[in-house]
Amino acid sequence: MRLAVIADIHGNVLALEAVLLDITHRRADMTVNLGDCVSGPLWPAETWARLQQLQMPTVRGNHDRCLNDAPDTFGASDAYAVAKLSEADRHALVQLPQVLNPLPGVLACHGTPEHDNVYLLDQVVGGGMMLATDEQIMQLLGEATEALILCGHSHQARMVQCGRRLAVNPGSVGCPAYVDDGASAGSSKIVSPGIIASTATLQTTPAHVSEAGSPHARYALLDDSSGLWSVEFVAVAYDWNRAAERALANQRPDWAQALRTGRAR
């Protein structure tokens, strides 16, 4: 089985199309989408229309979940997406499952199995993202028993072997960097939710940045032909200058900076 894993498209249909073409060339048997499909100042309606054509297994991200919230809770990226989507589209995104099992022994979620706005493989240290400890990851996995855990949310491409379980974050298709100001879970991504689990409670993290370091569209390709999952992280070139120009046209220079450089500042 060759399994392609995508996450955090954030309305960047140009990056999505480049990734889909690469996945086709690499002959993946299945593609799984880990959510945060449309939020951002780019092409939310076009992105969702393309995803609906594909009918791939998709979980709901925290930004997908909040699309039917009260308007005064939206960040700028969510508000832009809401304005461009039909009510039926928003409802469909909100109704996506929080977790799913696309294959036996595989669990897909956006953040963690229990929380879509919690980083599974990352912790915030000194205003940046660092690899979480095995103890933190095990706590966040909770009752999950699957051998392969797929997660997104942090936009950081990572794989961690934690006991007998392998956890993989493919990185972000469409948003290579963002600033989190420590706002609550409904805020926009570039100013995104950053929430971690601390014992039995959730608390907001300090302000921090997540940066890929380059503008490429990212995904992961997994293969279990050997009997164990191997993982390849793929970075695909696309017309990120055009995406940045779209962000600028929609009054989002922060997004334009991130899209052109993979840096948040």
Side-chain angles (χ1 to χ4, degrees), residues 16 121 132 201 244 253 258:
L16 174 61
L121 303 183
T201 63

Side-chain angles (χ1 to χ4, degrees), residues 67-92:
L67 290 175
N68 276 347
D69 287 354
D72 61 359
T73 67
F74 294 145
S77 295
D78 296 327
Y80 183 85
V82 167
K84 298 296 182 180
L85 294 167
S86 69
E87 183 177 352
D89 288 340
R90 297 197 306 272
H91 180 76

Side-chain angles (χ1 to χ4, degrees), residues 40-83:
L42 301 175
W43 297 276
E46 295 86 345
T47 300
W48 182 236
R50 186 69 174 103
L51 290 172
Q52 286 182 303
Q53 291 174 350
L54 297 167
Q55 294 293 301
M56 65 180 63
T58 300
V59 298
R60 184 186 64 214
N62 57 299
H63 286 279
D64 304 321
R65 169 176 51 80
C66 76
L67 290 175
N68 276 347
D69 287 354
D72 61 359
T73 67
F74 294 145
S77 295
D78 296 327
Y80 183 85
V82 167

Side-chain angles (χ1 to χ4, degrees), residues 97-185:
Q98 181 174 324
V99 297
L100 58 80
N101 297 102
L103 294 168
V106 179
L107 183 145
C109 58
H110 180 69
T112 75
E114 293 188 359
H115 301 284
D116 62 16
N117 54 6
V118 175
Y119 299 137
L120 177 60
L121 303 183
D122 297 89
Q123 59 178 318
V124 175
V125 178
M129 308 287 282
M130 288 186 61
L131 183 66
T133 66
D134 281 358
E135 182 181 6
Q136 289 170 321
I137 296 168
M138 292 287 283
Q139 179 186 3
L140 291 170
L141 286 175
E143 300 298 319
T145 60
E146 289 82 359
L148 176 63
I149 311 293
L150 306 174
C151 66
H153 188 49
S154 72
H155 299 203
Q156 295 289 312
R158 296 195 188 279
M159 58 182 293
V160 177
Q161 188 73 45
C162 196
R164 67 173 191 81
R165 291 174 290 192
L166 177 66
V168 177
N169 185 325
S172 174
V173 169
C175 178
Y178 62 85
V179 176
D180 185 328
D181 67 352
S184 62

